[in-house]
Amino acid sequence: MTPILDRIRAHGGEVIRDKWRIRLRRGRLSDEAVAWIGENRAALMQEVWPEFDEFEERAAIREFDGGQSRADAERDAYAEVMAKREKTYAQLHAA
């Protein structure tokens, strides 16, 4: 179920994920709708990328406990989360 994505698409919009970032092609979305999407970015990210919360947590730990810059923390957290995802996928499809 993707209620935010469904509403964006119903108005001719599109969300494009590039690693841990998203871009919005607004289509016929009003300025108010675009502002609402910005305010609800985390919920949208969870729809677009189910691993978003894990990514955010890993990036925060790397930045605050590990002393990495935010950019490095995000890059490394993304690699870590995606490696875990690929390992899980491989295990599920190995049998």
Side-chain angles (χ1 to χ4, degrees):
M1 183 177 203
T2 58
I4 299 172
L5 281 173
D6 291 346
R7 290 183 71 184
I8 290 170
R9 290 178 182 139
H11 288 88
E14 183 179 4
V15 176
I16 301 105
R17 182 174 74 89
D18 180 18
K19 297 183 179 179
W20 61 90
R21 297 177 187 94
I22 59 171
R23 289 181 300 142
L24 175 66
R25 290 190 184 150
R26 69 183 289 162
R28 298 177 308 277
L29 292 166
S30 67
D31 291 341
E32 293 81 18
V34 172
W36 184 89
I37 291 166
E39 293 166 6
N40 292 278
R41 180 182 177 278
L44 175 60
M45 285 299 296
Q46 291 165 350
E47 287 186 21
V48 173
W49 186 33
E51 293 89 354
F52 175 71
D53 288 337
E54 183 178 358
F55 161 77
E56 285 280 289
E57 180 180 1
R58 299 305 313 153
I61 290 168
R62 289 175 170 281
E63 181 180 8
F64 294 106
D65 294 342
Q68 288 184 306
S69 69
R70 184 65 186 178
D72 289 345
E74 288 178 340
R75 182 198 63 229
D76 293 346
Y78 180 79
E80 181 180 346
V81 168
M82 294 310 290
K84 179 180 175 184
R85 177 183 180 181
E86 289 178 22
K87 181 179 178 183
T88 301
Y89 182 84
Q91 289 172 343
L92 289 172
H93 294 87

